[in-house]
Amino acid sequence: MSDDPSSRPTILISNRQDLPVDEPALTRLARESLRAEGQPDVELSVSLVTRDEIADLHERYLGEPGPTDVLSFPQDDEAEDGVRLLGDVVVCPEEAAEQEGAEADVGLLLVHGILHLLGYDHETDEDRAEMWARQARYAGVPMEGSS
């Protein structure tokens, strides 16, 4: 891991879809969100994928047919250099745009996925309120109804 604090946490982005996204902005958002959650020494993988790819992952790992906008896959292993491998967040910008229209915010979905990796959920009203408040603080807008 780099000794440069501005390069931590480590964010790896794989963009495997065709819609335009601001990868540097997503990297900054992920890094800032993780720092705010007290997680500077982690590595996060972010994949931006097509509807077909996320539908396959959704069915294979959650047993649910069809695409979704965001999935999180925790890893929580430690690498040789002491960095915690937090996991993977998979976002489908095309599905997000279809569900949310022109207002779709890939950054918000990224923050949502990161919070899931950190153990937040929205199964109860109280948990949902806490998670949504964090999303609003980090991404700048509230989010309704994503999983």
Side-chain angles (χ1 to χ4, degrees):
M1 171 176 269
S2 169
D3 288 332
D4 177 8
S6 68
S7 69
R8 298 186 337 225
T10 302
I11 311 299
L12 307 170
I13 295 185
S14 174
N15 190 352
R16 302 188 298 270
Q17 55 85 53
D18 295 326
L19 293 180
V21 293
D22 186 344
E23 291 180 39
L26 290 177
T27 299
R28 281 190 304 276
L29 178 59
R31 195 169 276 143
E32 290 166 6
S33 298
L34 287 164
R35 285 180 189 152
E37 287 291 318
Q39 302 293 321
D41 296 320
V42 299
E43 181 176 297
L44 173 71
S45 171
V46 177
S47 296
L48 304 168
V49 301
T50 64
R51 291 183 85 217
D52 287 342
E53 186 173 349
I54 206 159
D56 178 57
L57 293 169
H58 197 211
E59 184 157 356
R60 187 178 336 159
Y61 293 102
L62 296 178
E64 298 179 19
T68 188
D69 52 6
V70 61
L71 293 169
S72 297
F73 298 97
Q75 190 166 359
D76 205 19
D77 291 330
E78 192 168 309
E80 289 180 19
D81 58 3
V83 173
R84 187 170 141 227
L85 304 176
L86 186 61
D88 303 296
V89 174
V90 182
V91 178
C92 179
E94 182 182 2
E95 182 65 18
E98 185 169 304
Q99 289 182 19
E100 304 295 327
E103 303 304 312
D105 187 338
V106 172
L108 185 61
L109 294 171
L110 173 59
V111 170
H112 188 83
I114 289 169
L115 291 173
H116 274 303
L117 291 177
L118 294 174
Y120 294 94
D121 214 327
H122 42 85
E123 297 301 314
T124 68
D125 289 343
E126 184 178 322
D127 290 344
R128 178 184 168 109
E130 181 178 359
M131 190 170 179
W132 265 231
R134 288 175 186 277
Q135 287 174 175
R137 183 167 59 237
Y138 302 147
V141 291
M143 184 163 121
E144 295 299 323
S146 187
S147 54

